[in-house]
Amino acid sequence: MSLLIALDWGTSSLRAYLLEDGKVLDKRQSPFGIQHLPAPGGVKGYEAAFESICGDWRKQYPDVPVVTGGMVGSAQGWSEAPYVRCPADLGDLAKNSGAATLPDGGTLHIVPGVLLDEPDLAPDVIRGEEIQIAGALVDHPDWWNSSRILLPGTHSKWVTMKGGKLESFSTYMTGEVFAVLREHSILGRLMPEEKATAEEAEKAFDLGLDVARNGEPGDLTHQIFATRTMGLTERLPKAALANYLSGLLIGNELTSATRELRDDASIPLIMIGEGALCDLYKRALASFGLECTAQFDNTAYIGLWDFAVARNLI
């Protein structure tokens, strides 16, 4: 029997798992992401968050290894775990792991993020998604050799897997741009709190997708302003303007990110993320003539277990 305490530490939340031979014995969630720690003072805040969510596990199993992935290893985290450069696999992550000291003096093993920094490309980074990918692909070595991975969210990630490694990736700030435009721009002034009907929402979302798909390079800011004029002229119900904006932004993301998939439909497309958001992306993908090969929820705990195995901790 092998036990592991695994932490998936994000910006706004913290998930903890007590694992036995890779299976979940117990799991917990708290709001103590790196931006919402329970105590000020850097390390003290992380220690307090750790104690609050799994201090009792640590007392009950003092010799069990503890691993974590996500933003806790960032420059603003508990202890920085420097990025590993692409191409990278789970073994590379394990060999370059970071560490922090737990309140009882033990070691917290930290998964590093991944850096893409090629001369002809803008630099890009992921931290946390790499361990979710490892968890999703653990039983699918063929996907390690060739696939595209989509992790939709505040910062959507599109990852290319080739030759058993994470070869490259691109980040799209789709979710964050949507939130900023809705909450802090003139567009939001026409968007009421009430939601559109399902039919209105789907029609507006699909229209946004169509506008994005049929646009030309450089059209995005012009297209965005039309979110306001669609409401002013009552071409769309005001309650559906947010759905139009969502379709417009996701459509522009897909226009850029799916070029390779549209040229070669045999490449598996794997999606990892929350169900409702994944459903929205599946609808968008269908409008581009694409579909997912498989969809997964949060797979971080599986990836953290495999990281611990690769790190020879269990």
Side-chain angles (χ1 to χ4, degrees):
M1 178 183 73
S2 296
L3 293 175
L4 178 72
I5 296 173
L7 305 173
D8 178 17
W9 213 318
T11 301
S12 57
S13 67
L14 169 60
R15 294 185 178 94
Y17 302 87
L18 180 62
L19 304 175
E20 179 182 8
D21 297 330
K23 306 298 182 183
V24 177
L25 289 181
D26 195 3
K27 62 181 179 180
R28 300 168 180 174
Q29 184 167 345
S30 89
F32 296 143
I34 71 164
Q35 291 185 348
H36 306 281
L37 297 173
V43 169
K44 292 183 183 296
Y46 288 102
E47 290 179 342
F50 177 84
E51 288 287 351
S52 72
I53 198 167
C54 60
D56 58 331
W57 291 348
R58 186 67 180 168
K59 290 173 184 171
Q60 186 176 358
Y61 306 107
D63 298 322
V64 167
V66 185
V67 299
T68 186
M71 294 302 293
V72 70
S74 70
Q76 296 77 39
W78 191 340
S79 177
E80 186 173 6
Y83 292 105
V84 173
R85 285 179 173 267
C86 284
D89 59 18
L90 195 59
D92 297 318
L93 298 177
K95 287 186 291 187
N96 293 278
S97 63
T101 302
L102 294 170
D104 62 6
T107 300
L108 174 67
H109 301 272
I110 304 174
V111 181
V114 181
L115 168 68
L116 178 66
D117 190 10
E118 300 294 336
D120 57 340
L121 297 172
D124 208 338
V125 294
I126 60 174
R127 193 180 288 278
E129 292 89 356
E130 75 290 335
I131 208 66
Q132 290 198 58
I133 292 168
L137 304 193
V138 63
D139 294 325
H140 300 278
D142 51 326
W143 292 347
W144 276 98
N145 287 324
S146 177
S147 64
R148 286 276 278 170
I149 316 294
L150 164 59
L151 301 100
T154 303
H155 297 163
S156 293
K157 306 288 184 178
W158 288 79
V159 180
T160 298
M161 308 297 296
K162 280 189 180 178
K165 290 181 178 284
L166 192 162
E167 182 186 69
S168 64
F169 54 90
S170 298
T171 302
Y172 294 83
M173 293 178 61
T174 304
E176 183 168 355
V177 170
F178 174 82
V180 169
L181 289 173
R182 182 172 187 176
E183 297 168 17
H184 303 290
S185 83
I186 196 171
L187 302 184
R189 296 180 187 178
L190 291 180
M191 297 179 185
E193 290 296 323
E194 63 267 22
K195 293 184 178 180
T197 66
E199 182 179 356
E200 289 172 339
E202 289 177 359
K203 180 180 177 181
F205 182 75
D206 290 346
L207 179 59
L209 291 175
D210 289 342
V211 171
R213 190 173 54 250
N214 296 319
E216 298 293 336
D219 281 354
L220 179 57
T221 54
H222 173 61
Q223 294 169 345
I224 287 172
F225 187 73
T227 305
R228 177 170 171 78
T229 56
M230 285 287 190
L232 290 173
T233 59
E234 299 184 349
R235 294 268 293 272
L236 286 174
K238 290 183 174 61
L241 295 179
N243 305 98
Y244 174 80
L245 178 62
S246 176
L248 186 62
L249 294 175
I250 291 175
N252 271 276
E253 175 186 330
L254 265 59
T255 298
S256 170
T258 63
R259 293 189 186 101
E260 183 182 2
L261 292 169
R262 283 177 278 150
D263 290 339
D264 184 356
S266 69
I267 301 173
L269 173 59
I270 317 303
M271 199 181 319
I272 306 170
E274 182 270 327
L277 184 57
C278 285
D279 288 344
L280 201 61
Y281 268 77
K282 284 193 288 189
R283 184 179 183 89
L285 285 164
S287 77
F288 281 74
L290 300 169
E291 63 180 24
C292 282
T293 305
Q295 178 184 333
F296 297 89
D297 201 347
N298 192 319
T299 53
Y301 76 90
I302 304 171
L304 288 166
W305 175 269
D306 292 331
F307 167 80
V309 171
R311 190 81 177 81
N312 294 318
L313 298 175
I314 50 179

